[in-house]
């Protein structure tokens, strides 16, 4: 790997760390790209190439991940939605159901005894939402008629 490629990866890690740390803040691709010292379009392409998902999908997955912990702790769906930085309850609920497989209210009402018995570092790893293919990736997999 060249020095230039290593520097680009370091910049992408810096942006990913920004997302992980500031997920509850209003973040958009230009703000994330500024953290990586790249233009928004170049940043989006490089981020997806390095991490397998777009910066926005990564951000939303982190937000959903944090929301699952709040919901397990008994927070209301609305409060969890706002706490993780989402401004639309409908969009949050739709994305939550898409990522987790059930609506946030159903997730909150489920018994999570096994997760409560785990150390928090293990619970975070085990309850991390899986990466879902994007709509574009799904469309590309469909057989052409």
């Amino acid at each position: 790997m060249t020095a230039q490629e290593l520097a680009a990866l370091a910049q992408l890690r810096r942006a990913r760390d920004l997302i992980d740390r500031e997920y509850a803040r209003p973040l958009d691709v230009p703000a994330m790209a500024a953290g990586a010292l790249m233009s928004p379009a170049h940043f989006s392409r490089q981020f997806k190439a390095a991490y397998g998902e777009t910066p926005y999908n990564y951000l939303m997955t982190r937000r959903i991940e944090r929301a699952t912990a709040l919901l397990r702790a008994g927070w209301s769906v609305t409060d969890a939605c706002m706490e993780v930085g989402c401004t639309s309850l409908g969009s949050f609920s739709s994305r939550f159901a898409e990522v987790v497989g059930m609506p946030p209210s159903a997730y909150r009402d489920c018994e999570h005894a096994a997760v409560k018995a785990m150390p928090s570092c293990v619970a975070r790893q085990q309850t991390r939402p899986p990466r879902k293919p994007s709509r574009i990736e799904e469309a590309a997999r469909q057989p052409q008629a």
Side-chain angles (χ1 to χ4, degrees):
M1 203 173 256
T2 68
Q4 189 176 23
E5 291 170 328
L6 288 173
L9 281 175
Q11 291 170 319
L12 291 172
R13 270 194 308 274
R14 198 174 310 126
R16 191 185 63 187
D17 291 345
L18 170 75
I19 295 168
D20 288 339
R21 189 178 54 252
E22 303 290 335
Y23 65 89
R25 239 181 29 147
L27 285 175
D28 56 8
V29 172
M32 295 179 220
L37 307 173
M38 296 179 184
S39 73
H42 182 67
F43 169 72
S44 291
R45 286 190 302 273
Q46 293 298 309
F47 192 96
K48 181 163 175 133
Y51 299 113
E53 61 186 326
T54 66
Y56 181 75
N57 282 343
Y58 183 84
L59 170 64
M60 288 306 295
T61 301
R62 295 293 74 79
R63 286 177 172 174
I64 298 300
E65 178 182 288
R66 270 48 171 219
T68 59
L70 296 175
L71 293 170
R72 282 193 309 271
W75 285 48
S76 74
V77 174
T78 303
D79 290 343
C81 168
M82 298 302 160
E83 182 69 19
V84 299
C86 295
T87 55
S88 167
L89 184 58
S91 296
F92 169 78
S93 296
S94 296
R95 184 62 178 246
F96 190 99
E98 181 183 311
V99 171
V100 177
M102 66 177 71
S105 56
Y107 183 86
R108 183 193 61 222
D109 295 338
C110 285
E111 180 60 37
H112 301 285
V115 174
K116 290 177 184 172
M118 295 178 196
S120 62
C121 59
V122 174
R124 271 193 304 274
Q125 180 182 16
Q126 294 299 314
T127 60
R128 176 167 281 161
R131 181 188 170 278
K132 292 268 189 177
S134 70
R135 291 182 199 106
I136 295 169
E137 292 168 333
E138 291 274 339
R141 288 188 204 157
Q142 299 298 323
Q144 299 297 322

